[in-house]
Amino acid sequence: PTTVKTIEAGAFEYCYFLEEVNLPGDLVDIGDAAFDETALQEIDIPASVTNIGFSAFSCCDYLQEVTIPSKVKRFPYAFYGCANLESATLEEGVSAVSESAFSGCESLISAVLPNTVTNIEDKAFCECGSLAEIKFPQHLVAIGEYAFQMSGLQVADIPDSVRRIGKYAFAGNIDWRNIPHFTSLKTVKLPASLKAIEEGTFQCCCYLESIDVPEGVERIAPFAFLYCENLKTISLPSTVRDIDYRAFF
């Protein structure tokens, strides 16, 4: 009914055959794991919603597109492992892509972020192997750890507003057998406001041929460009004081 304001945690969790739900127009809160591992094929989240709980729609394998309303503040792990999710749109007003929000969405090809987004949190798009491009918001300040690890990004044009890029943000992976798994990243533009390139940030980016480290960067951390086998040109500014262990190994 339209009087429902909250869907509690786990309300429809593991309802494996639930294909359709009509959310009430005045809904405010969707609880943790509310629709986890259901068969939902589409979801229309009302504009009134301010909270999407932890893992609310995770592992909904039939879900193909989603729009996050402008009032939503947090949605950690909300669509984690939605294997067939192809499109995600955040409406103007959303300020962050929450931790692991779309991690493991291997079919995601389109992610639209408004300029109100200032933070892409840890593992937000980790293992989104089909995500070949993304337009970073103009006022983005931080990109979290592992944010795009093992994604399909080919170009990372990072705006100058970004002050921090977390460790392994654009990296590939090295498995337990010490075998590297490479990314598709070919071109990177680093922001002018950056002070350090953190540990493993571009590890296993084997298609990266050149990197221009901007003036102001003081430290290049361990493994920052580990296994970047085709890196031919490196431009370092005079501000660099520390090139750490195996930074370019």
Side-chain angles (χ1 to χ4, degrees):
T2 57
T3 53
V4 171
K5 298 291 191 294
T6 299
I7 296 176
E8 297 285 354
F12 298 96
E13 187 177 16
Y14 306 140
C15 291
Y16 299 119
F17 301 103
L18 179 65
E19 296 182 354
E20 183 180 355
V21 65
N22 293 317
L23 300 179
D26 293 326
L27 185 67
V28 174
D29 186 15
I30 300 174
D32 296 349
F35 295 94
D36 180 28
E37 293 195 44
T38 60
L40 288 177
Q41 297 182 13
E42 59 182 65
I43 188 72
D44 184 9
I45 303 172
S48 54
V49 170
T50 60
N51 180 66
I52 299 175
F54 183 92
S55 200
F57 297 94
S58 65
C59 299
C60 290
D61 287 342
Y62 299 96
L63 201 59
Q64 293 186 326
E65 61 181 281
V66 66
T67 297
I68 308 296
S70 61
K71 295 179 181 178
V72 173
K73 304 301 181 188
R74 300 281 300 158
F75 51 106
Y77 286 81
F79 301 94
Y80 175 89
C82 290
N84 289 297
L85 188 69
E86 295 181 355
S87 174
T89 301
L90 278 60
E91 291 186 345
E92 196 81 18
V94 177
S95 61
V97 185
S98 295
E99 180 182 0
S100 293
F102 302 103
S103 183
C105 294
E106 57 194 36
S107 298
L108 189 68
I109 57 175
S110 173
V112 179
L113 309 182
N115 285 325
T116 51
V117 168
T118 58
N119 190 7
I120 297 175
E121 297 183 5
D122 297 351
K123 297 185 178 181
F125 295 98
C126 181
E127 296 184 359
C128 291
S130 299
L131 187 64
E133 61 180 340
I134 192 168
K135 184 177 180 181
F136 291 103
Q138 293 178 1
H139 306 298
L140 187 66
V141 173
I143 297 173
E145 297 178 2
Y146 304 92
F148 293 93
Q149 186 191 36
M150 291 302 297
S151 74
L153 284 186
Q154 297 181 18
V155 177
D157 188 358
I158 305 169
D160 287 337
S161 56
V162 171
R163 297 196 293 267
R164 183 181 66 83
I165 301 174
K167 64 181 183 180
Y168 300 97
F170 295 93
N173 188 31
I174 300 175
D175 66 21
W176 62 275
R177 296 165 299 177
N178 205 34
I179 296 175
H181 298 270
F182 298 109
T183 72
S184 302
L185 194 63
K186 297 177 181 179
T187 306
V188 172
K189 181 192 125 352
L190 291 172
S193 53
L194 207 60
K195 297 298 181 185
I197 299 176
E198 301 293 350
E199 179 180 325
T201 302
F202 298 101
Q203 174 182 286
C204 296
C205 294
C206 75
Y207 295 104
L208 197 61
E209 294 189 358
S210 67
I211 190 75
D212 186 1
V213 179
E215 195 76 22
V217 170
E218 298 176 358
R219 177 173 182 255
I220 300 176
F223 317 122
F225 296 93
L226 181 69
Y227 290 131
C228 290
E229 299 177 347
N230 289 302
L231 193 58
K232 300 172 183 177
T233 305
I234 304 167
S235 176
L236 299 177
S238 59
T239 52
V240 170
R241 299 176 181 176
D242 185 11
I243 298 177
D244 221 319
Y245 179 72
R246 290 191 171 182
F248 293 96
F249 184 76

